[in-house]
Amino acid sequence: CSYLVSVASPFIVFSFDFTMTFTMEVPDAYGYVILGCAVLPVFTNLYMGGPVMKARSKFKVPYPNLYATPGYHKQADEFNRVQRGHQNMFEMITSFTALSLLGGIKHPIVTAVGGVFFCVGSVLFQIGYADTALDVKTARYKKGGMLKWIGLFLPLGTSISLAGSMIGIW
């Protein structure tokens, strides 16, 4: 990629030629990281939006309301539990993706498995959180939502391993 920048005025004339080349080699298995940690979360997000749309209709919470308002919407807590289950994925997805794309450079298979765990765990987190028969404080983990945390900590570990290798700790 090459850029030529020229500036001319009555007093100053200068020109810069910037050339930048960047090559990065990734392991052959890095495609699994892309599928498990970049592509799969998109489909997981779309899938998790389904219960929110159904709950929006069932509990009469129209757009643009992100959440139902207690006292205004009859079943605000029921809707909000479904919505929170989905929203929680958004709160973690940027950190998860960055950790995965980096950690996958050194440990692609472990990182890709973390992606599957994160996505499956996110769905289970939402299912548990939405179950009003369960106590709201622990519901998100009663149906397997803890798997999401394992899915997050695997790329965290692989990123730490990559960083340690890059700075010569190990």
Side-chain angles (χ1 to χ4, degrees):
C1 186
S2 183
Y3 300 95
L4 179 61
V5 178
S6 296
V7 177
S9 75
F11 304 104
I12 303 170
V13 177
F14 59 92
S15 175
F16 297 99
D17 185 12
F18 297 100
T19 302
M20 181 174 63
T21 302
F22 179 77
T23 303
M24 181 173 157
E25 290 186 34
V26 295
D28 290 339
Y30 195 77
Y32 293 114
V33 175
I34 294 169
L35 288 173
C37 302
V39 176
L40 183 60
V42 172
F43 288 107
T44 303
N45 170 44
L46 293 172
Y47 176 79
M48 292 175 70
V52 175
M53 296 306 293
K54 288 178 185 173
R56 204 172 269 294
S57 175
K58 179 179 179 182
F59 301 124
K60 297 177 178 58
V61 180
Y63 284 113
N65 299 307
L66 182 59
Y67 291 102
T69 305
Y72 181 80
H73 296 102
K74 267 187 180 181
Q75 295 171 296
D77 287 345
E78 288 87 343
F79 173 78
N80 289 343
R81 286 177 70 154
V82 176
Q83 174 67 351
R84 278 294 309 136
H86 187 213
Q87 189 70 28
N88 185 266
M89 182 180 183
F90 294 131
E91 294 167 3
M92 303 174 76
I93 195 70
T94 53
S95 297
F96 168 77
T97 303
L99 290 169
S100 297
L101 294 177
L102 291 170
I105 293 170
K106 184 172 181 187
H107 305 284
I109 300 300
V110 172
T111 303
V113 168
V116 174
F117 284 1
F118 179 80
C119 291
V120 171
S122 293
V123 171
L124 297 174
F125 184 97
Q126 182 187 37
I127 290 169
Y129 211 161
D131 188 343
T132 56
L134 299 173
D135 178 50
V136 70
K137 293 178 184 174
T138 58
R140 51 197 163 223
Y141 302 115
K142 293 283 185 178
K143 299 210 174 177
M146 189 60 74
L147 189 60
K148 175 178 67 173
W149 290 102
I150 296 169
L152 178 67
F153 288 133
L154 285 173
L156 176 62
T158 60
S159 292
I160 291 169
S161 176
L162 174 67
S165 295
M166 291 175 77
I167 61 177
I169 294 175
W170 47 77

PDB file of all heavy atoms in Angstrom, residues 42-51 123 126-127:
ATOM      1  N   VAL A  42     -21.943 -14.105  15.623  1.00  0.00           N
ATOM      2  CA  VAL A  42     -22.950 -13.360  14.852  1.00  0.00           C
ATOM      3  C   VAL A  42     -24.235 -14.171  14.754  1.00  0.00           C
ATOM      4  O   VAL A  42     -25.338 -13.661  15.009  1.00  0.00           O
ATOM      5  CB  VAL A  42     -22.424 -12.998  13.440  1.00  0.00           C
ATOM      6  CG1 VAL A  42     -23.528 -12.416  12.578  1.00  0.00           C
ATOM      7  CG2 VAL A  42     -21.251 -12.038  13.543  1.00  0.00           C
ATOM      8  N   PHE A  43     -24.102 -15.444  14.425  1.00  0.00           N
ATOM      9  CA  PHE A  43     -25.289 -16.301  14.328  1.00  0.00           C
ATOM     10  C   PHE A  43     -25.921 -16.529  15.702  1.00  0.00           C
ATOM     11  O   PHE A  43     -27.147 -16.603  15.826  1.00  0.00           O
ATOM     12  CB  PHE A  43     -24.946 -17.635  13.651  1.00  0.00           C
ATOM     13  CG  PHE A  43     -24.703 -17.478  12.182  1.00  0.00           C
ATOM     14  CD1 PHE A  43     -23.418 -17.561  11.663  1.00  0.00           C
ATOM     15  CD2 PHE A  43     -25.751 -17.234  11.308  1.00  0.00           C
ATOM     16  CE1 PHE A  43     -23.191 -17.407  10.305  1.00  0.00           C
ATOM     17  CE2 PHE A  43     -25.536 -17.077   9.942  1.00  0.00           C
ATOM     18  CZ  PHE A  43     -24.254 -17.164   9.446  1.00  0.00           C
ATOM     19  N   THR A  44     -25.094 -16.614  16.726  1.00  0.00           N
ATOM     20  CA  THR A  44     -25.613 -16.767  18.093  1.00  0.00           C
ATOM     21  C   THR A  44     -26.431 -15.545  18.481  1.00  0.00           C
ATOM     22  O   THR A  44     -27.521 -15.658  19.046  1.00  0.00           O
ATOM     23  CB  THR A  44     -24.456 -16.983  19.088  1.00  0.00           C
ATOM     24  OG1 THR A  44     -23.699 -18.121  18.680  1.00  0.00           O
ATOM     25  CG2 THR A  44     -24.963 -17.178  20.498  1.00  0.00           C
ATOM     26  N   ASN A  45     -25.921 -14.376  18.169  1.00  0.00           N
ATOM     27  CA  ASN A  45     -26.635 -13.135  18.451  1.00  0.00           C
ATOM     28  C   ASN A  45     -27.995 -13.118  17.744  1.00  0.00           C
ATOM     29  O   ASN A  45     -29.012 -12.760  18.346  1.00  0.00           O
ATOM     30  CB  ASN A  45     -25.789 -11.942  18.019  1.00  0.00           C
ATOM     31  CG  ASN A  45     -26.562 -10.656  18.065  1.00  0.00           C
ATOM     32  OD1 ASN A  45     -27.294 -10.381  19.009  1.00  0.00           O
ATOM     33  ND2 ASN A  45     -26.419  -9.853  17.032  1.00  0.00           N
ATOM     34  N   LEU A  46     -28.008 -13.494  16.481  1.00  0.00           N
ATOM     35  CA  LEU A  46     -29.271 -13.526  15.736  1.00  0.00           C
ATOM     36  C   LEU A  46     -30.249 -14.517  16.357  1.00  0.00           C
ATOM     37  O   LEU A  46     -31.438 -14.229  16.509  1.00  0.00           O
ATOM     38  CB  LEU A  46     -29.012 -13.879  14.268  1.00  0.00           C
ATOM     39  CG  LEU A  46     -28.238 -12.838  13.469  1.00  0.00           C
ATOM     40  CD1 LEU A  46     -27.872 -13.384  12.095  1.00  0.00           C
ATOM     41  CD2 LEU A  46     -29.029 -11.551  13.344  1.00  0.00           C
ATOM     42  N   TYR A  47     -29.744 -15.669  16.740  1.00  0.00           N
ATOM     43  CA  TYR A  47     -30.580 -16.688  17.371  1.00  0.00           C
ATOM     44  C   TYR A  47     -31.149 -16.175  18.690  1.00  0.00           C
ATOM     45  O   TYR A  47     -32.328 -16.367  18.999  1.00  0.00           O
ATOM     46  CB  TYR A  47     -29.766 -17.966  17.593  1.00  0.00           C
ATOM     47  CG  TYR A  47     -30.525 -19.040  18.325  1.00  0.00           C
ATOM     48  CD1 TYR A  47     -31.446 -19.837  17.653  1.00  0.00           C
ATOM     49  CD2 TYR A  47     -30.341 -19.234  19.690  1.00  0.00           C
ATOM     50  CE1 TYR A  47     -32.158 -20.814  18.328  1.00  0.00           C
ATOM     51  CE2 TYR A  47     -31.043 -20.210  20.373  1.00  0.00           C
ATOM     52  CZ  TYR A  47     -31.955 -20.997  19.686  1.00  0.00           C
ATOM     53  OH  TYR A  47     -32.661 -21.954  20.352  1.00  0.00           O
ATOM     54  N   MET A  48     -30.309 -15.528  19.489  1.00  0.00           N
ATOM     55  CA  MET A  48     -30.742 -15.027  20.797  1.00  0.00           C
ATOM     56  C   MET A  48     -31.726 -13.874  20.678  1.00  0.00           C
ATOM     57  O   MET A  48     -32.480 -13.591  21.615  1.00  0.00           O
ATOM     58  CB  MET A  48     -29.529 -14.616  21.630  1.00  0.00           C
ATOM     59  CG  MET A  48     -28.673 -15.790  22.048  1.00  0.00           C
ATOM     60  SD  MET A  48     -27.160 -15.289  22.902  1.00  0.00           S
ATOM     61  CE  MET A  48     -27.831 -14.688  24.440  1.00  0.00           C
ATOM     62  N   GLY A  49     -31.742 -13.205  19.550  1.00  0.00           N
ATOM     63  CA  GLY A  49     -32.712 -12.131  19.333  1.00  0.00           C
ATOM     64  C   GLY A  49     -34.128 -12.660  19.184  1.00  0.00           C
ATOM     65  O   GLY A  49     -35.097 -11.951  19.475  1.00  0.00           O
ATOM     66  N   GLY A  50     -34.268 -13.909  18.765  1.00  0.00           N
ATOM     67  CA  GLY A  50     -35.599 -14.511  18.585  1.00  0.00           C
ATOM     68  C   GLY A  50     -36.443 -14.497  19.845  1.00  0.00           C
ATOM     69  O   GLY A  50     -37.583 -14.003  19.834  1.00  0.00           O
ATOM     70  N   PRO A  51     -35.922 -15.014  20.974  1.00  0.00           N
ATOM     71  CA  PRO A  51     -36.702 -14.967  22.210  1.00  0.00           C
ATOM     72  C   PRO A  51     -37.042 -13.541  22.655  1.00  0.00           C
ATOM     73  O   PRO A  51     -38.099 -13.302  23.231  1.00  0.00           O
ATOM     74  CB  PRO A  51     -35.797 -15.655  23.243  1.00  0.00           C
ATOM     75  CG  PRO A  51     -34.927 -16.554  22.435  1.00  0.00           C
ATOM     76  CD  PRO A  51     -34.713 -15.834  21.133  1.00  0.00           C
ATOM     77  N   VAL A 123     -26.251 -18.716  25.075  1.00  0.00           N
ATOM     78  CA  VAL A 123     -27.639 -19.153  24.857  1.00  0.00           C
ATOM     79  C   VAL A 123     -28.196 -19.767  26.143  1.00  0.00           C
ATOM     80  O   VAL A 123     -29.321 -19.447  26.559  1.00  0.00           O
ATOM     81  CB  VAL A 123     -27.724 -20.148  23.678  1.00  0.00           C
ATOM     82  CG1 VAL A 123     -29.107 -20.782  23.590  1.00  0.00           C
ATOM     83  CG2 VAL A 123     -27.371 -19.457  22.369  1.00  0.00           C
ATOM     84  N   GLN A 126     -29.029 -17.119  28.675  1.00  0.00           N
ATOM     85  CA  GLN A 126     -30.303 -16.460  28.380  1.00  0.00           C
ATOM     86  C   GLN A 126     -31.489 -17.349  28.766  1.00  0.00           C
ATOM     87  O   GLN A 126     -32.463 -16.875  29.349  1.00  0.00           O
ATOM     88  CB  GLN A 126     -30.386 -16.080  26.901  1.00  0.00           C
ATOM     89  CG  GLN A 126     -31.674 -15.355  26.542  1.00  0.00           C
ATOM     90  CD  GLN A 126     -31.839 -15.127  25.061  1.00  0.00           C
ATOM     91  OE1 GLN A 126     -31.477 -15.980  24.245  1.00  0.00           O
ATOM     92  NE2 GLN A 126     -32.374 -13.970  24.692  1.00  0.00           N
ATOM     93  N   ILE A 127     -31.405 -18.623  28.444  1.00  0.00           N
ATOM     94  CA  ILE A 127     -32.492 -19.561  28.775  1.00  0.00           C
ATOM     95  C   ILE A 127     -32.711 -19.603  30.289  1.00  0.00           C
ATOM     96  O   ILE A 127     -33.843 -19.529  30.769  1.00  0.00           O
ATOM     97  CB  ILE A 127     -32.200 -20.964  28.207  1.00  0.00           C
ATOM     98  CG1 ILE A 127     -32.307 -20.947  26.684  1.00  0.00           C
ATOM     99  CG2 ILE A 127     -33.151 -21.999  28.807  1.00  0.00           C
ATOM    100  CD1 ILE A 127     -31.780 -22.200  26.006  1.00  0.00           C
TER     101      ILE A 127
END
